[in-house]
């Protein structure tokens, strides 16, 4: 009688016997992390100068660059609308910028399907700079040297925070792909 190798019943996501990926986790983790990223800055710091990075936008970039197939291209519209509710920007600003970012990264993916982390970081840095700069323009502020200087710390912090967010997205993706017991 031949015995099966017990290791063949497991993979990196857990046991394969009577287990499958949860549809709830597959959908909830990416969308929920971005939506939570729009709310969290209220609990971190409140100041007269923008310092806290736009976490919802960073998580959107993280999910789109780390796991390209998870979010559809049209996800920028509802996630941008959610971010507009909490960001203090004029309504539609994040809808437009999230959607344009998703389209730009989709075009970039079609041109350069194989990238490394440095290229993703450069892409995210350009997107972060454009997002914060265009957000300042759409807010109705008089763009002066003072406004530009006050945006720079937020840009630098957001660019430096992207690798941390990308690692967090990778950890959340492992949670998203956990296998749960299937009944039936």
């Amino acid at each position: 009688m031949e015995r099966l190798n017990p290791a063949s019943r497991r993979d990196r996501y857990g046991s394969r016997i009577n287990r499958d990926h949860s549809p709830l986790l597959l959908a909830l983790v990416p969308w929920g992390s971005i939506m939570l990223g729009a709310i969290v800055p209220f609990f971190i710091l409140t100041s007269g100068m923008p310092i806290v990075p736009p976490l919802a936008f960073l998580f959107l970039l993280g999910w789109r660059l780390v796991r390209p197939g998870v979010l559809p291209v049209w996800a920028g519209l509802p996630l941008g609308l959610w971010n507009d509710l909490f960001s203090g920007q004029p309504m539609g600003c994040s809808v437009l910028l999230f959607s344009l970012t998703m389209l730009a990264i989709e075009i970039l993916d079609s041109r350069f399907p194989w990238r490394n982390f440095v290229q993703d970081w450069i892409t995210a840095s350009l997107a972060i700079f454009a997002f914060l700069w265009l957000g300042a323009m759409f807010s109705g502020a008089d763009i002066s040297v003072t406004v530009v200087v006050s945006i720079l710390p937020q840009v630098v912090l957001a660019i430096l925070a992207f690798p941390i967010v990308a690692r967090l997205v990778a950890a959340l993706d492992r949670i998203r792909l956990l296998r749960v017991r299937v009944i039936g």
Side-chain angles (χ1 to χ4, degrees), residues 28-98:
L28 187 67
V29 171
W31 289 78
S33 64
I34 296 169
M35 293 171 77
L36 190 63
I39 299 170
V40 166
F42 289 114
F43 302 116
I44 295 176
L45 179 70
T46 303
S47 70
M49 194 168 106
I51 294 177
V52 177
L55 291 178
F57 188 70
L58 289 176
F59 272 101
L60 178 83
L61 286 173
W63 279 107
R64 187 62 185 91
L65 293 172
V66 173
R67 292 291 296 183
V70 171
L71 292 174
V73 177
W74 56 263
L77 185 120
L79 292 171
L81 184 62
W82 177 264
N83 191 51
D84 277 337
L85 292 173
F86 298 101
S87 70
Q89 291 282 39
M91 206 59 159
C93 178
S94 291
V95 171
L96 175 68
L97 296 176
F98 277 35

Side-chain angles (χ1 to χ4, degrees), residues 92-165:
C93 178
S94 291
V95 171
L96 175 68
L97 296 176
F98 277 35
S99 298
L100 288 176
T101 301
M102 292 294 281
L103 289 171
I105 293 175
E106 185 68 25
I107 291 169
L108 184 70
D109 273 349
S110 67
R111 297 275 184 182
F112 305 105
W114 296 285
R115 298 182 317 267
N116 62 15
F117 181 73
V118 173
Q119 291 167 324
D120 284 346
W121 198 0
I122 292 169
T123 303
S125 299
L126 293 173
I128 289 165
F129 179 76
F131 177 78
L132 292 173
W133 177 258
L134 291 172
M137 288 178 54
F138 291 151
S139 71
D142 183 28
I143 303 299
S144 63
V145 176
T146 309
V147 172
V148 173
V149 169
S150 69
I151 291 174
L152 285 179
Q154 187 179 22
V155 170
V156 170
L157 281 174
I159 290 171
L160 293 176
F162 179 73
I164 298 166
V165 170

